[in-house]
């Protein structure tokens, strides 16, 4: 199984809502990542978890809150987002942070109204 | 700061034409290099990767890439493209032992039947 799954596929939320994005992999990978991708742009790294500990936070606003409950799951909690946060949010995983390719999920298309 | 550049924003080719997409990076240390493809409506998939050894690497679907360390380049090639190769292609660099993972801006390839 080389699949990274993400739910939901689409999400529309208001600026006062609280929602969560979920990501799951069963490849035994110990590194997991959140990216943000705007239309016609490359993915931008947001967070990296290594062995369930946050190892990289690319200066992401606090309205985005990551969580790694266990080695297979990664969540992104959203609160008080802005319309400019509308984007495709991608989850990825790799065996470890160093020297391994990342496997990407299909993404969650987020629209903030 | 580390950066990745891709020479072409949009490439248009006819079927059976040869393809070369340029990629240059700015980081001077040890790097791992990747090419990812994003077909319309689909998630990012790894085409090929370079970690060490033979600088000419072969990937899936007939793609190959050559790492030229002196030129900080990792160009993607395919001798004969097909209509199904129409997609967005991203070069990516993993540097500093996994502390930096950066995508290039992407090159959109359109193959005309």
């Amino acid at each position: 199984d080389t699949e990274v799954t993400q739910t939901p596929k689409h999400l529309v939320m208001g600026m006062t809502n609280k929602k969560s994005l979920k990501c799951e992999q069963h490849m035994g990978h110990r590194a997991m990542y959140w990216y943000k991708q705007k239309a016609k742009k490359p993915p931008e790294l947001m967070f990296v978890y290594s062995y369930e500990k946050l190892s990289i936070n690319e200066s992401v606003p606090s309205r985005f809150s990551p969580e790694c409950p266990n080695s297979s799951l990664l969540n992104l909690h959203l609160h008080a987002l802005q319309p400019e946060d509308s984007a495709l949010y991608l989850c990825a995983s790799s065996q470890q942070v160093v020297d391994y390719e990342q496997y990407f999920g299909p993404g969650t298309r987020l629209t903030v109204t | 700061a580390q950066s990745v550049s891709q020479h072409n924003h949009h490439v248009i080719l006819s079927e059976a034409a040869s393809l070369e997409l340029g990629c240059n990076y700015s980081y001077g240390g040890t790097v791992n290099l990747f090419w990812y493809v994003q077909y319309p409506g689909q998630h990012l998939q790894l085409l090929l990767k370079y970690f060490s050894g033979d600088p000419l690497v072969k990937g899936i679907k007939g793609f190959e890439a050559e790492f030229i360390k002196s030129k900080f380049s990792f160009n993607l090639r395919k001798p004969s493209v097909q209509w199904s190769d129409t997609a967005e292609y991203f070069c990516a660099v993993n540097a500093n032992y996994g502390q930096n993972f950066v995508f290039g801006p992407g090159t959109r390839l359109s193959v005309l039947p």
Side-chain angles (χ1 to χ4, degrees):
Chain A
D1 181 8
T2 58
E3 191 178 11
V4 176
T5 58
Q6 290 186 243
T7 56
K9 287 186 177 179
H10 301 275
L11 178 62
V12 179
M13 60 184 291
M15 290 189 284
T16 59
N17 291 160
K18 284 186 181 181
K19 297 286 184 182
S20 296
L21 309 185
K22 296 186 185 301
C23 173
E24 191 167 2
Q25 56 88 15
H26 294 288
M27 295 179 277
H29 290 174
R30 303 313 300 269
M32 296 186 77
Y33 310 77
W34 279 116
Y35 288 86
K36 175 182 178 180
Q37 187 178 24
K38 303 282 273 185
K40 301 188 187 301
K41 296 291 186 183
E44 295 177 20
L45 186 64
M46 300 174 71
F47 302 104
V48 180
Y49 273 83
S50 179
Y51 289 85
E52 294 122 71
K53 294 191 188 313
L54 184 64
S55 66
I56 296 175
N57 176 342
E58 294 286 356
S59 303
V60 179
S62 59
R63 56 185 185 269
F64 295 91
S65 175
E67 179 196 19
C68 190
N70 59 56
S71 60
S72 300
L73 293 173
L74 185 67
N75 298 323
L76 186 63
H77 302 297
L78 314 172
H79 174 54
L81 295 193
Q82 304 296 309
E84 59 264 29
D85 296 322
S86 297
L88 181 69
Y89 287 84
L90 296 169
C91 175
S93 71
S94 63
Q95 285 192 21
Q96 295 191 46
V97 172
V98 180
D99 290 352
Y100 291 97
E101 68 268 27
Q102 297 180 24
Y103 292 80
F104 283 83
T108 293
R109 178 76 58 190
L110 174 67
T111 303
V112 182
T113 61
Chain B
Q2 177 187 329
S3 67
V4 181
S5 62
Q6 293 183 234
H7 302 172
N8 308 97
H9 178 65
H10 188 193
V11 173
I12 302 174
L13 296 173
S14 298
E15 276 195 313
S18 64
L19 170 72
E20 181 160 1
L21 301 182
C23 171
N24 286 88
Y25 61 93
S26 63
Y27 189 71
T30 300
V31 295
N32 298 322
L33 300 161
F34 307 85
W35 275 98
Y36 283 88
V37 61
Q38 193 169 32
Y39 297 103
Q42 296 190 27
H43 60 276
L44 279 160
Q45 299 172 41
L46 182 70
L47 272 179
L48 48 77
K49 63 190 182 217
Y50 172 80
F51 288 164
S52 63
D54 189 345
L56 184 62
V57 292
K58 294 191 183 302
I60 60 171
K61 306 188 181 189
F63 286 91
E64 64 178 31
E66 185 175 12
F67 170 51
I68 303 179
K69 189 174 181 179
S70 61
K71 295 185 178 180
F72 298 89
S73 71
F74 190 55
N75 292 354
L76 181 71
R77 299 194 290 250
K78 185 171 184 179
S80 175
V81 295
Q82 300 172 319
W83 176 78
S84 57
D85 293 323
T86 295
E88 189 86 20
Y89 291 81
F90 294 99
C91 180
V93 177
N94 186 358
N96 195 20
Y97 302 102
Q99 294 303 304
N100 301 95
F101 196 94
V102 178
F103 280 85
T107 295
R108 183 155 64 100
L109 172 65
S110 298
V111 180
L112 306 177

